[in-house]
Amino acid sequence: MKTKLLLWVLCLPAIVLVSCQSEQKNEEPKTKDMGSAFRTDTVQLRNYEQELQFTGQVSFDQKQVDRVYPMVSGNVLDVNAELGAFVKKGQVLAKLQSADVSQFVKDYNTAKSNYDIAKRNADNVEQLYKTKFSSENDLVNARKQLEIASSELERSSQVLKMYGGTSANSQPIFTVSAPVSGYIVERNINPNMQIRPDNGNSLFTISNLSDVWVLINIYESDIQAVKVGQEVNISTLAYPDRVFQGRIDNISQVIDNDSKVLQARVVLQNPGGLLKPDMFCTVKLHIEKPEKLLAVNPKSVIFSEDRYFVILDKGKGNYKSVPVEVIKSTSKYSYIKANLRDGDQVVTEGALLLFNELTD
């Protein structure tokens, strides 16, 4: 019995040692699970892109703008269209009481009376001619007078119709109607306003905002780099998370004397009418250069102690801090020189947290 107890005491340290070694073997290495905490992006070898940034302004598509001018003078009785409202073609926008229309109504009524007289006279002469109480010459003259009266009635009727009147309404009212469907983007008329005969300002401006223009301000130092057909990215304060893409389709040949800028034009489709005239915007233009450089996501670049770094994902939870030299940064890429290869994976989301852990 004492012998067995002695063997047990001697074997106990060996059992404890083996158990500890087993636990050490089963202990997992301390690594980070990239899939659960971090996101990566691919290092690319690509042509260097220069980024130019300009200011711009949204404007009407001048090819889809209709300005409504007053055709008569008079006093404004009523205005039925508000600024920014959508109107349909033919919709009444305003009504004016006009002495001009009153004269057109008078001309129409006179022409109508002359026509009735000429018609009655022609009918009488024709009846007399059939009974041999009138000559053929009288019949020809009567018909000629009827033709003249008919032409004058048609002319005065067309004039009255053009100025908004009708033969059934003798009131001197001029009706301003929408020539096209669209949005009221300018309104220069109010009730009780007097419209003078020499007024040269439009009463309404109607635009179809399905397309808009973005006018880009280009300074002289950048004129050489901007070409027709280049793609641009446009952002606005109203929609900071949205980028509108378009192409430059026209560049002016005249520099503004006050601002000293040259204007380029981008035509954008505007579904939903998100872009409004006079909105300010930022326009970015990327120009590709022949030189090839390594490019990474700007989110992957870390600045620490006057140096730049990226976190290289070596796979299987292994990461390495790599110093880089940033040549140029744009909104899309940071162009760098570093000990990296095309196709390497670098951390973007969580890069700073991982960098702090690696440098502790």
Side-chain angles (χ1 to χ4, degrees), residues 10-124:
L10 292 175
C11 292
L12 182 60
I15 295 172
V16 173
L17 180 60
V18 172
S19 176
C20 291
Q21 290 178 349
S22 176
E23 289 181 2
Q24 289 177 357
K25 289 180 181 179
N26 294 332
E27 197 175 293
E28 295 183 358
K30 295 181 179 180
T31 61
K32 292 292 180 181
D33 181 3
M34 183 276 296
S36 61
F38 309 111
R39 292 183 180 178
T40 63
D41 203 351
T42 305
V43 178
Q44 302 179 44
L45 183 63
R46 57 180 294 117
N47 290 341
Y48 165 63
E49 283 187 356
Q50 179 186 3
E51 182 180 74
L52 299 179
Q53 183 169 305
F54 309 99
T55 59
Q57 187 173 2
V58 180
S59 179
F60 316 118
D61 184 344
Q62 295 297 331
K63 297 178 182 179
Q64 300 186 33
V65 170
D66 289 87
R67 291 179 172 84
V68 182
Y69 289 91
M71 299 180 66
V72 297
S73 59
N75 181 53
V76 180
L77 297 178
D78 190 22
V79 180
N80 301 321
E82 298 294 334
L83 185 65
F86 180 82
V87 296
K88 295 182 178 180
K89 181 178 180 179
Q91 181 176 329
V92 176
L93 305 180
K95 292 183 179 180
L96 284 71
Q97 187 175 28
S98 172
D100 298 335
V101 176
S102 180
Q103 181 63 44
F104 299 144
V105 172
K106 178 183 176 183
D107 292 344
Y108 172 81
N109 290 333
T110 300
K112 183 69 167 60
S113 297
N114 291 337
Y115 173 80
D116 291 341
I117 294 172
K119 181 71 167 61
R120 186 164 53 252
N121 182 55
D123 291 342
N124 292 335

Side-chain angles (χ1 to χ4, degrees), residues 132-152:
K132 307 299 183 180
F133 285 99
S134 179
S135 67
E136 183 178 357
N137 188 45
D138 292 338
L139 179 61
V140 171
N141 288 335
R143 288 178 176 177
K144 190 65 175 177
Q145 292 299 319
L146 177 61
E147 183 180 344
I148 294 173
S150 177
S151 296
E152 180 62 21

Side-chain angles (χ1 to χ4, degrees), residues 135-329:
S135 67
E136 183 178 357
N137 188 45
D138 292 338
L139 179 61
V140 171
N141 288 335
R143 288 178 176 177
K144 190 65 175 177
Q145 292 299 319
L146 177 61
E147 183 180 344
I148 294 173
S150 177
S151 296
E152 180 62 21
L153 177 62
E154 179 66 20
R155 185 196 67 81
S156 59
S157 177
Q158 291 295 330
V159 170
L160 183 62
K161 183 178 180 181
M162 183 174 63
Y163 282 89
T166 62
S167 58
N169 183 12
S170 60
Q171 296 296 321
I173 303 299
F174 174 68
T175 302
V176 182
S177 301
V180 294
S181 298
Y183 292 91
I184 302 293
V185 293
E186 287 182 2
R187 170 180 147 170
N188 301 311
I189 182 174
N190 286 304
N192 302 318
M193 179 184 290
Q194 294 292 330
I195 305 298
R196 296 173 45 179
D198 59 348
N199 179 56
N201 298 323
S202 61
L203 303 181
F204 299 94
T205 300
I206 302 174
S207 176
N208 183 351
L209 296 179
S210 59
D211 291 334
V212 293
W213 287 0
V214 175
L215 302 178
I216 308 171
N217 301 316
I218 305 171
Y219 289 98
E220 292 185 48
S221 58
D222 297 322
I223 289 177
Q224 187 176 3
V226 181
K227 310 292 182 186
V228 172
Q230 290 174 325
E231 290 188 358
V232 293
N233 295 327
I234 301 168
S235 57
T236 62
L237 291 175
Y239 311 103
D241 297 330
R242 181 161 183 175
V243 176
F244 301 88
Q245 295 182 330
R247 289 182 181 272
I248 297 174
D249 77 336
N250 181 268
I251 299 177
S252 174
Q253 300 301 314
V254 180
I255 295 179
D256 186 89
N257 190 46
D258 296 325
S259 61
K260 300 301 180 184
V261 298
L262 193 69
Q263 284 199 328
R265 183 183 70 201
V266 177
V267 180
L268 286 181
Q269 291 186 348
N270 190 28
L274 296 180
L275 297 175
K276 316 295 184 185
D278 294 328
M279 270 187 175
F280 288 101
C281 54
T282 300
V283 182
K284 292 181 179 180
L285 170 65
H286 294 89
I287 303 173
E288 192 173 273
K289 301 292 185 178
E291 181 184 2
K292 287 186 177 292
L293 292 173
L294 291 175
V296 297
N297 190 318
K299 293 181 180 179
S300 66
V301 180
I302 303 164
F303 182 74
S304 176
E305 298 180 355
D306 297 328
R307 299 177 66 191
Y308 292 96
F309 300 87
V310 296
I311 304 301
L312 175 63
D313 179 9
K314 303 177 68 175
K316 298 182 179 180
N318 294 321
Y319 302 95
K320 179 183 177 182
S321 175
V322 179
V324 300
E325 178 187 353
V326 177
I327 307 300
K328 181 73 175 180
S329 288

